[in-house]
Amino acid sequence: MRELAFIRSGRLAWRDRDAPIVRDPGDAIVRPFIAARCDGDTVPIHRPVSRLMQAGIAVRAIDPVVGCICGRVPFRGPFAIGHECVAQVLEVGSGVQRARVGQTVVVPWAVSCGTCEPCRRGLTSKCATTTSATLAAYGLGPASGRWGGMVADELRVPFADHMLVPVPADVPPLRVAAASDNLADAWRSVVTPLRDRPGGSVLIIGGGAKSIGLYAAGLAVAHGAAVVHYVDDDPVRRQIAEAFGAHTFPARARSRRRRAVTLRYDVVVEASSRAAGLRRAIRSLARGGVCTAVGYYLAAGTRLPLMHMYATDATLRIGVSHARAVLPDLLAFVARTGYPAEQVTTLTAHWDDAPTAYATRTTKLVLQRHAV
Ligand SMILES: [Zn+2]
Ligand SMILES: [Zn+2]
């Protein structure tokens, strides 16, 4: 069978490998037919970061923890890439009870068991059963386990009854193309904090984690935020955020428009992936506000305004998203409201064109082929 492999910066290719088989009674084999590109995948594709990061870790300019997550040589190709997909179930093991052949499902990016202590607490991306190092995940290279990438003809999914989350019948699969990761990440960054702050004000600093910021803008509006401000220098993304009902500003806005974004917000999403963006996000918090940082901050010793946080009773949440834990609520919400997440997609390409399409500089790429 065929899977998409990251070779090196700017270059991806199909490669052949043996089709996966059911190994444990709880396994399922699925066939992805929609795959989306996670914002994080563009890091090694659009910039030759592998050597730079290796050197940065060696001289400790980059936090050595990065090496634990990405391996000692981060993003060294070739490895199977892709960790957002909607798939059809092809085959299930003898112990599988809920997942059924033919079902359309979302496969979460991180592999989890559903029954260990972290899983029961909702920390599914830190599953104690599947995680040997920092992560157990699809499409992130060997440091996260040999689970393969999701731009593949077939995929083995362990703990299938827990892992596979059915797409509700009336939800178009393209709408939830990014539910495996980026859409779920946006959910935890705005929907969860707004539950404790109903009608709160929301600021999103976008442009780094490009699609997450946009999904977050749309979800914040749809969940009754009093104000949603979206900051990004890219006019196309600002247009998408405005179509969701957010007010938008360029990051470098001056004068009157700048003042509008020096308000204080109950919920802030840091999606610029820059230390300066993180500090700005924290300084934008209202009393008791919560900032969720969805990006990466690789530099060792990133400075934060801790006394400002102390004075405002600020909360900073940082870390990977626990997509599996939020998927049932997220998919039910999309089914109930028709939330048009597909408005974030800036390029839909045919599956066969994945090697070139996956390298495109566009905000959100989605690959599609026929379901069987
Ligand atoms: Zn991701
Ligand atoms: Zn677990």
Side-chain angles (χ1 to χ4, degrees), residues 17-366:
R17 75 168 171 97
D18 292 341
I21 52 165
V22 168
R23 281 194 228 152
D24 295 310
D27 286 358
I29 304 297
V30 304
R31 175 186 182 271
F33 66 98
I34 289 169
R37 184 182 67 190
C38 167
D39 296 339
D41 278 352
T42 61
V43 172
I45 291 172
H46 290 159
R47 279 174 292 172
V49 292
S50 183
R51 287 234 177 93
L52 274 173
M53 286 176 69
Q54 200 185 343
I57 292 168
V59 300
R60 303 219 156 214
I62 288 179
D63 198 303
V65 169
V66 175
C68 304
I69 298 171
C70 303
R72 292 165 68 88
V73 185
F75 305 118
R76 177 161 59 182
F79 65 86
I81 199 165
H83 58 268
E84 294 187 338
C85 81
V86 179
Q88 279 183 308
V89 181
L90 291 183
E91 188 187 347
V92 296
S94 58
V96 173
Q97 289 174 343
R98 280 208 301 273
R100 294 188 321 272
V101 171
Q103 226 170 14
T104 300
V105 292
V106 172
V107 186
W109 69 274
V111 181
S112 62
C113 75
T115 52
C116 72
E117 197 261 347
C119 279
R120 278 182 284 131
R121 288 176 56 205
L123 305 174
T124 49
S125 301
K126 295 287 165 189
C127 171
T129 309
T130 58
T131 309
S132 53
T134 310
L135 292 172
Y138 292 98
L140 294 177
S144 303
R146 300 191 178 275
W147 300 99
M150 288 188 182
V151 189
D153 287 337
E154 292 180 21
L155 209 60
R156 181 175 81 93
V157 182
F159 309 104
D161 277 337
H162 155 73
M163 278 282 285
L164 300 177
V165 186
V167 176
D170 40 1
V171 171
L174 281 172
R175 181 161 283 173
V176 290
S180 301
D181 184 4
N182 291 173
L183 182 55
D185 205 344
W187 181 274
R188 61 104 184 216
S189 70
V190 287
V191 179
T192 312
L194 276 173
R195 274 190 195 134
D196 299 332
R197 298 162 183 80
S201 52
V202 176
L203 170 68
I204 293 145
I205 302 179
K210 297 178 174 67
S211 78
I212 299 173
L214 291 172
Y215 292 129
L219 287 171
V221 172
H223 283 81
V227 167
V228 180
H229 285 165
Y230 174 86
V231 174
D232 191 332
D233 278 330
D234 184 86
V236 174
R237 282 193 295 275
R238 286 205 305 275
Q239 218 167 52
I240 295 170
E242 275 166 26
F244 277 129
H247 297 280
T248 71
F249 307 89
R252 288 185 271 279
R254 292 273 174 259
S255 69
R256 206 155 50 84
R257 301 182 82 192
R258 173 79 193 216
R259 276 202 298 279
V261 284
T262 52
L263 296 169
R264 298 283 173 257
Y265 301 85
D266 301 303
V267 175
V268 177
V269 181
E270 203 309 285
S272 76
S273 274
R274 296 160 59 100
L278 183 55
R279 288 189 282 269
R280 180 176 176 184
I282 288 168
R283 290 191 183 281
S284 303
L285 286 171
R287 285 191 196 94
V290 58
C291 169
T292 304
V294 299
Y296 313 113
Y297 313 90
L298 304 180
T302 298
R303 289 196 317 276
L304 292 181
L306 287 179
M307 277 316 292
H308 180 85
M309 293 178 71
Y310 179 88
T312 50
D313 243 328
T315 300
L316 171 63
R317 303 191 69 238
I318 189 161
V320 294
S321 79
H322 302 285
R324 173 59 188 84
V326 303
L327 273 172
D329 281 357
L330 163 60
L331 294 176
F333 165 79
V334 174
R336 196 171 65 243
T337 63
Y339 172 69
E342 71 278 9
Q343 287 181 18
V344 174
T345 304
T346 48
L347 177 64
T348 307
H350 192 273
W351 195 273
D352 291 340
D353 299 329
T356 44
Y358 216 85
T360 310
R361 285 180 190 272
T362 191
T363 291
K364 191 68 177 181
L365 165 77
V366 172

